[in-house]
Amino acid sequence: MASNQLVKDPFNVIITGVGGQGNVMASRILSNMLVQKGYFVTIGETFGASQRGGSVMSHIRISSHSTWSPQVPKGRAHIVVTLEPIEAIRVLANYGNEEVKVLTNTRPIYPAGVIAGESAYPAIEEIEATLKKLSHGVWLIDATEEAVKLGNPILGNIIMIGALSALGDLPVNRDDFNAVIRRTLPGDKVADNLKAFDMGAALLKN
Amino acid sequence: MEEKVLNRGQQKVRSNVLDAGLCTGCGACINLCPYYQSYRGKTAVLFPCTIDEGRCFAYCPKIEVDLEELSQRLFGKPYDGSPLGSCQSVLMSKATDIIKGSKPQAGGTVSALMYYALKKGFIDGAVLMDRQGLLPVPHFVGDANDVLACSQSKYTAAPALAEVNQAVKDGYKNIGMVGTPCQVLSAAKMRMNPLMKEDFIDPFGLIIGLFCTWAIDYRLFEPFVIKKIDIDQIEKIDIPPPPAEILQIFGKNGEKLEIPLSEIRELVPKGCSYCVDMTSEFSDLSVGVMEGRPDMNTLIIRTDRARRLVYGAQEEGYLQVSEMPEENLEHLMWAAGNKKRKGLIKACDEGLINATEETNSYLKIRQDILNKLIA
Amino acid sequence: MSHLTDTKKDASYLVMGNEAIVRGAIEAGVNVASGYPGTPSSEIIESLSRVASERNLYVEWSVNEKVALEVAAAASFAQLRSLCAMKQNGVNVASDFLLHLVGSGTRGGFVLVTCDDPGALSSVNEGESRYFSRLMEIPLLEPGNFQEAKDMTKWAFELSEELKQIVVVRSVTRMSHASGNIRYGELPDIERKAEFKYSGFIFDPEEGVVISAPVDWKHQQQQAKVKRAMEIFENCPFNTYEGPDKPELLLITSSACYLYSKEAVNVLGIEDRVGILKLGTTWPLPPKLLAKNLSRTQKIMIVEEVLPFLEENVKILAAEMAAEIGVKTFYGKKDGTIPMTNELNPDLVISGLSKILGMEYVPVSAEYDQLAKLSAFVGAPARDQVFCPGCPHRASFLSIHNALELDGRKGFVCGDIGCYSMAVRPTGFETLKTLHSMGSGMGVASGFGKLGQFGMDQPILAVCGDSTFYHAVIPALVNAVHNKANITLVVLDNSGTAMTGFQPHPGLDYNVMGDEVPCIDVAKICSAIGARVEITDPFDLKGTREMLNNLIEDSNGVKVLIMRKACALSPQRKNKKDFEMRVDETICLGEECGCNRFCTRIFRCPGLVWNEKKKKAEIDQVICAGCGVCADICPQHAIVKEEVA
């Protein structure tokens, strides 16, 4: 059992994005980082049909003593990490509260209705203003852009995990990440993932 | 918001023309955008377009055709409702045998003139009608010799203007066209610069109109004929002049099929019954089969450029032209006037003329002229 | 090596519910596993296939769920342990065989895992499989957390072997697709030999023939097994009670709802007022256990998904035991305390509890709630499901849509389940007009195709996927040909069971274990049945559309068009662009007459975006899959494709 370093127990993290952004993998890696430290973690996620361009959401429940429900109750998210900016707003409508912290990638993935001109996508400044009103703190990171620089946009999810670790609210660090990816990823992917993790941590600190 | 949707140009084409059964498949709305396509004689809307009044709306010969404006702009005089429209002269004509390999139907005037126009550079290409089985297929030709392959009569509607639109897209600026009255009407609308573009150029160098009393709906014609003859083996289709009252189909192996016109009239699209134009009044010149003289054409010259073309062709031996007997002219005027009257009455009865509501306006015509015509 | 075969006892892993089920089966020494892919069940067979060689298993994706159940049954008859996994719809398909199976009984431990999908998170219904247990009179287990998912699955094999009857383990999406950390048990090293014994006395369950007759006698045997299960369930450790001895309210629940209930009680801080009876064995219910717990209080609340299965069964028992336990007040689905459609969550349970106990619960301030809801309404435009960038279905449905519009006779398409179900939405140009179970597009079309005598002159099309073709379309195709229905079937052949994650099917030359296997050719089957068969590449828009019109106009019975192009996520296409795409801004017409944003407004590939400032289309290079189709739909040829070397 873990020595309880959680600010809240259960501590609730929600990771969201759009199908194909590596949402599921990000929540898996983060959860494994916590499990290897002895925490109980429950991940609730929807995928399957949702992967076809729909919103994808993982609820991560972290506790030092028991298994929690795979769905966070309304208004009880502590940290929201989103791989797509408007998804953060969507999540806060159900799970937000005055104390929540929001970490979001700024790269939009336009919904089909927006591309078709049926609905409007807000400017990133508007999104930021909205998120600020609805949270205790907001961190915006252009993770996709940075990931493209690393050679693969999918690494955006790892950049976000790096940033989340650097935020300091969760008892996880680079060593935990390193241990998990060495166990779960093919060897040739480890270096790039570490680079992405470090980049995320650095971006948060700036 | 709802109002706005109703006013969408494509919406109107769809509800007032296509769904109302007025479309004759002229092709004026085809090859302009990805939203319209012609298939087996019918025009289909593939997807909704949200542009208020685009070219489909502007070119359609069944939407807001202002006869007065057309007449003023094309002939410089008011529309007076005369049966044959604006004419400089009405003649009879016949192609000579100067063009080798030519075997046109009736007098051959259309083929001879198009051949001549292309050869002499009056136009830089022409949209003509080819035939695949029963289906007329518009065909753009740039070479005079290709005219000959398209020299036969077709009795089903075809999207001729689709090919014109394509030719315009491809950069042609002096296009010749042979068309039925509805097709010629679309062409006339196009020539008016309906969207008021600053860099507008009239793309037509010559429009030859055909006489037409009705066309046959291909979608009805094909299943009707297919039971009787192999449509891939059709050599020629003809309607001999009255009193025969038959449509003849000749097979490549010498078969001959005769269908009473009473059966054929069942296959005429609804849109034809609103038509007020038998002789393609807004063309440069119009050509028809001459009553009682299956080897000759009636030829109506309407514009100066048509006159120059006809006399050039005559001088250089492509065409024989002579005066039209008074008796024939009278009969032609009677037939054309009759079609005009019937079409106007039907359209009037259904509120399609000078409609105040924008949604239902097929023709605009001066009220006093209208009153005179339907009296 | 997979963590699923870790031999270290008490090893702890974070596993998905489906993996927990798999580990349970491995700990039980399962020998044979079969199933048909269906979310949320697919990972069970997939994970088992990955450890197949290591654990000497036979694992297969069967052609459909009925055959899967038959394949697994054979192993049980031969004294092996077997598992069969499917989603809720699959149980309907398998149910005919299931009814016969429960009559004949089983030998080796036989577990049917059904994964229901309350809320239809990835289904087109939220059908219940639990009722089959009552209908077919077989034991039903429902794990209430991840550890139980493993432990109960293992126990289910033992129970099945003891009862000589198949045992159902029912999971739900929030269990199967959720993850939690569990502790592993030991792995067995018993080798079982397969032998089917049939020479014994006809009534001998071990060595006689395996049949459901004589029916009356067999049925009595079957009901005796249910009775025995009931006795076992009385003392089953998976049925637990937590809370005060005499609570104000007794909450009875099972499955994922147990976790929601626990959370709800915790959030409201009413652990001292509410007791939770978590049932792991939900059919047959153990009466003594129920009597004991129902006696604790007068108010009973039942929390379950979706229909009031548990509620009804508890109420029947309560009525039977009324003299002993007294009259109770029940709260649940029937009185509206808990909704009878959709999945549940902690908040719905909180709301039910607050109502019964007269409590007020405000999760966030009304001010925050309002602002957050308004912000989402204004600032988070809805995200409709769409075909992936590069998906062949977008091109296929564009051609089908266009062919029907050109034909102009109000033709329509009947469909079924797969990614292509989304063709009811704008992403598939709203082409699909009926949508039902696997293969039913063809069956329904076959029926439409016979309505000509009543004046129907609309062209009729059906679509199915390649995997669906084998699953349930073949009988409908036979029916249509034999009965001379005039219809066109489009097989959207994308080389795999794409929707559920690319499981192999009989049309491929490899199976789930990676063996080389003969592939069954769709075209040859259709030809042999007597249909006219054509094949096109859906990315050839012109050719495909022309072929479609040609087939629709051919009034000689059944025509089949196979549109063949691998899924954009398939191993052969994923992350491989055929073309580099770009938009030539100088010729893009944008909103003007002649285009009106055809690519972004109508074609709607996620790889295309609209630049509002420039009024031009653009390629999103991160999303674009490089299929090149948009170059062919651009009326202006402004979308340019360059072959990737």
Side-chain angles (χ1 to χ4, degrees), chain C residues 230-266:
Chain C
M230 204 184 280
E231 286 159 20
I232 294 169
F233 292 169
E234 292 287 5
N235 297 306
C236 169
F238 298 116
N239 300 325
T240 56
Y241 175 79
E242 56 204 283
D245 198 35
K246 293 280 171 196
E248 215 175 308
L249 176 76
L250 175 71
L251 194 159
I252 304 179
T253 187
S254 63
S255 191
C257 293
Y258 165 58
L259 294 172
Y260 305 149
S261 300
K262 241 172 66 160
E263 180 124 23
V265 169
N266 174 273

Side-chain angles (χ1 to χ4, degrees), chain A residues 18 28 31-32 35 39-55 61 67-71 73-76 84 86-87 89-90 92-93 96-98 100 107 109-112 114-120 122 130 133-134 148 153, chain C residues 14 16 39 43 121-122 146 174 177-181 259-260 262-263 266-267 343-347 361 363-365 368-369 371-373 375-376 379-386 388 419 422 498-499 569 597 600-601 604-606 608-610 620 622-623:
Chain A
V18 177
R28 263 322 132 74
S31 300
N32 272 309
V35 166
Y39 290 97
F40 283 84
V41 178
T42 305
I43 319 172
E45 53 203 353
T46 47
F47 50 91
S50 329
Q51 78 192 53
R52 320 291 172 205
S55 310
R61 318 291 311 271
T67 295
W68 289 85
S69 124
Q71 296 194 71
K74 183 178 166 64
R76 294 199 167 224
E84 203 284 349
I86 60 164
E87 293 310 311
I89 302 178
R90 212 190 302 282
L92 293 184
N97 55 75
E98 282 92 348
V100 73
R107 174 60 141 76
I109 293 181
Y110 298 109
V114 169
I115 293 174
E118 291 156 358
S119 48
T130 304
K133 270 189 267 177
L134 292 172
V148 169
Chain C
L14 177 70
M16 201 196 279
T39 315
E43 295 82 6
L121 297 164
S122 46
F146 309 99
R174 295 289 183 189
H177 275 184
S179 303
N181 28 2
L259 294 172
Y260 305 149
K262 241 172 66 160
E263 180 124 23
N266 174 273
V267 167
E343 66 165 340
L344 299 187
N345 56 42
D347 297 294
Y361 172 71
V364 283
S365 73
Y368 182 93
D369 196 38
L371 181 65
K373 286 214 170 81
S375 302
R383 213 175 268 287
D384 200 4
Q385 285 179 5
V386 290
C388 301
C419 288
M422 284 191 288
M499 181 144 208
L569 301 177
R597 299 182 47 184
T600 54
R601 203 174 56 84
R604 293 186 183 211
C605 175
L608 288 158
V609 288
W610 174 245
D620 185 331
V622 169
I623 295 174

Side-chain angles (χ1 to χ4, degrees), chain B residues 14 32-35 37-40 42 44-51 54-56 169 195 197 219, chain C residues 398 401-402 405-408 429 545 549-550 553 591-598 601-602 633 635-636:
Chain B
R14 200 199 276 258
L32 297 169
C33 69
Y35 301 100
Q37 211 169 316
S38 176
Y39 182 68
R40 300 196 340 125
K42 278 257 188 299
V45 175
L46 298 180
F47 291 102
C49 172
T50 55
I51 289 173
R55 289 172 291 177
C56 58
K169 223 181 197 174
L195 295 176
K197 294 253 184 207
R219 300 272 183 111
Chain C
L398 182 70
H401 168 92
N402 287 354
E405 291 295 338
L406 292 179
D407 179 87
F429 316 104
R545 203 277 301 149
N549 278 116
N550 180 306
E553 283 152 29
E591 288 170 321
E592 282 174 46
C593 178
C595 181
N596 189 19
R597 299 182 47 184
F598 186 72
R601 203 174 56 84
I602 304 293
I633 59 120
Q636 202 66 4

Side-chain angles (χ1 to χ4, degrees), chain A residues 17-23 25-26 82-84 105-109 141-161 189 192-193 196-197 199 203, chain C residues 389 574-577 580 620-625:
Chain A
V18 177
Q21 283 194 298
N23 195 83
M25 187 179 175
T82 70
L83 299 170
E84 203 284 349
N105 182 9
T106 53
R107 174 60 141 76
I109 293 181
I141 294 168
D142 196 348
T144 305
E145 189 54 36
E146 297 298 327
V148 169
K149 283 184 206 158
L150 286 178
N152 190 352
I154 195 76
L155 288 170
N157 61 353
I158 302 301
I159 292 178
M160 295 308 288
I161 293 300
K189 300 226 164 124
D192 275 354
N193 276 272
F197 183 93
M199 188 175 271
L203 285 167
Chain C
K574 195 175 180 178
N575 299 330
K576 278 174 217 140
K577 289 188 180 187
E580 280 301 334
D620 185 331
Q621 297 296 354
V622 169
I623 295 174
C624 174

